[in-house]
Amino acid sequence: MTGYGTADETKRDGRTRIVLDVDTGIDDTLALAYLLASPEADLLGVIGVYGNVTAETAVRNNRDVLRLFGRTDVPVLHGMPRPSWADCFEVDEGCARFHGANGLGNVDPAEYIGSADGGAGEIASAGTGESGGGVGAVADSEPDGMPVPASVRMIPGEAHTFAAAGRVKSVGGYRAEGEAELEEVVAAERAVRRAEAEGVKFIVDAVRRYGREVTILATGPLTDVTAAIEAAPDIVDSLRVVMMGGALTQEGNCYDLVCETNIIQDPEAANRVFRSGADVTMVGLDVTHQCLLTRADAQVWRDAGTSRGRFLADMVEFYINANEDADPMFLAGSPLHDPLAAAVALDPTLVTCFDINMMVETRTGDGHGFRGRTIGDPTRLRKPRKTAHVALGVDSDRFVPQFRDRVASICH
Ligand code: CA
């Protein structure tokens, strides 16, 4: 039971270099806010990947949130628009239910920028601008509309493989019926090229430059990370990933109650990352379901009386309502999935980990397990080196107030 490294390995000048890869929904935004509020975080760049929203929307949300908090110095990059197993992607209805059609609880950060209370002023910079040669702020683009989900082929119990021919569309991690439209596939392919040149390259460049002194913090599907490994296999030996996703001892949070939503988006990608030899800390439902944000916590941000505080409180209200509607377990509060992963990237002592070589099952059926399940890898069970560290215990009494108060500190 260890963390994922010593402080000396992960930090330099007392600060932890982070590349954040997010599918910017509500808790992703809270993770971003936490990093902005943490003086020990050196945020090199923020990559927007598909997942809770489209990649385009994730990028737009990242840019808008950074602007609201006065941190336009942080590079914003495009990540992958679709999972590795599909040709294009559509957002699932369930994600919109938890995160709103725009990923931010239908709250528009642009409306809070430049409010009379001066909420968009600069905050103390936690970054160095030392971005590893990455790309600056991206050009404005129109937000995607929220597509109406196609009918989805639900697959429990059905033996299958996703290496299918034709134009394959993912709807929230599940394969859509029929072939995708050619225009969708062409548009996705264009976006893939852009992601390879921006977000994927940014990860490769950061790891080549900083080695184990940069942490790739992935709070969405692992599609960008696996693309980086495939583009530059040399990075694996020094690649350190902290990811939100998976569940080892708890039910999943997908339709099937086995899989976790980030993993089901791209099980192949997560499996490749786990089995690559990279050092991976898994912050999954085992611990995030122990860290709950309450209405009282959100009220602390609202009480700041600023546009930033109102934005966060308004956005989180949507999330809390959605979680309460979804599961009585969340009447006690809403899970801080992505913020906990961000906090663990900065301070591994918040969690206790079980070291194990992990894998993700990619097929469903007899002899194949269940597609999307995160589990120990039987082929590496006896290997002395364990590459994954699965967080199973968490000091939520320390983390949750620290999270609330740090975020409040930038609501001025
Ligand atoms: Ca996320």
Side-chain angles (χ1 to χ4, degrees), residues 200-215:
V200 176
K201 181 175 186 300
F202 197 88
I203 292 171
V204 171
D205 288 350
V207 177
R208 281 183 173 161
R209 181 169 177 180
Y210 297 118
R212 294 175 68 82
E213 292 182 349
V214 61
T215 298

Side-chain angles (χ1 to χ4, degrees), residues 119-132:
E122 292 292 320
I123 59 173
S125 171
T128 63
E130 192 184 9
S131 62

Side-chain angles (χ1 to χ4, degrees), residues 97-349:
R97 187 149 48 90
F98 283 95
H99 297 278
N102 72 343
L104 303 177
N106 300 329
V107 170
D108 181 0
E111 292 180 3
Y112 296 76
I113 294 173
S115 297
D117 61 17
E122 292 292 320
I123 59 173
S125 171
T128 63
E130 192 184 9
S131 62
V135 184
V138 297
D140 284 348
S141 57
E142 287 300 311
D144 284 5
M146 176 59 65
V148 178
S151 57
V152 171
R153 183 190 301 174
M154 297 296 291
I155 43 78
E158 175 193 346
H160 67 280
T161 172
F162 274 61
R167 298 191 294 263
V168 175
K169 179 194 278 194
S170 166
V171 180
Y174 295 88
R175 186 174 173 184
E177 291 280 10
E179 286 209 332
E181 297 296 326
L182 182 60
E183 307 85 76
E184 292 179 284
V185 174
V186 170
E189 187 58 26
R190 224 173 9 244
V192 165
R193 300 280 89 84
R194 185 171 189 176
E196 287 171 341
E198 290 192 16
V200 176
K201 181 175 186 300
F202 197 88
I203 292 171
V204 171
D205 288 350
V207 177
R208 281 183 173 161
R209 181 169 177 180
Y210 297 118
R212 294 175 68 82
E213 292 182 349
V214 61
T215 298
I216 309 302
L217 172 58
T219 64
L222 288 169
T223 313
D224 289 334
V225 179
T226 197
I229 291 172
E230 284 171 8
D234 58 285
I235 67 174
V236 164
D237 288 345
S238 52
L239 176 59
R240 183 191 299 283
V241 177
V242 174
M243 53 160 287
M244 191 280 135
L248 190 60
T249 66
Q250 294 295 300
E251 288 182 336
N253 59 358
C254 292
Y255 302 109
D256 49 55
L257 293 183
V258 174
C259 307
E260 183 280 329
T261 52
N262 284 337
I263 301 293
I264 198 64
Q265 296 278 12
D266 199 345
E268 280 80 6
N271 189 44
R272 277 182 226 123
V273 171
F274 275 134
R275 299 178 102 161
S276 69
D279 187 277
V280 181
T281 297
M282 178 175 127
V283 179
L285 304 182
D286 311 282
V287 281
T288 65
H289 280 181
Q290 299 182 50
C291 299
L292 304 179
L293 185 78
T294 65
R295 292 183 192 278
D297 294 323
Q299 188 64 38
V300 171
W301 303 335
R302 190 179 296 286
D303 287 346
T306 63
S307 56
R308 288 170 180 157
R310 282 199 304 278
F311 163 71
L312 291 175
D314 289 347
M315 179 184 73
V316 159
E317 190 173 321
F318 184 97
Y319 187 64
I320 290 175
N321 288 340
N323 275 285
E324 285 184 353
D325 287 346
D327 193 329
M329 177 170 79
F330 297 135
L331 289 171
S334 292
L336 290 166
H337 301 292
D338 296 348
L340 179 61
V344 169
L346 300 178
D347 180 3
T349 70

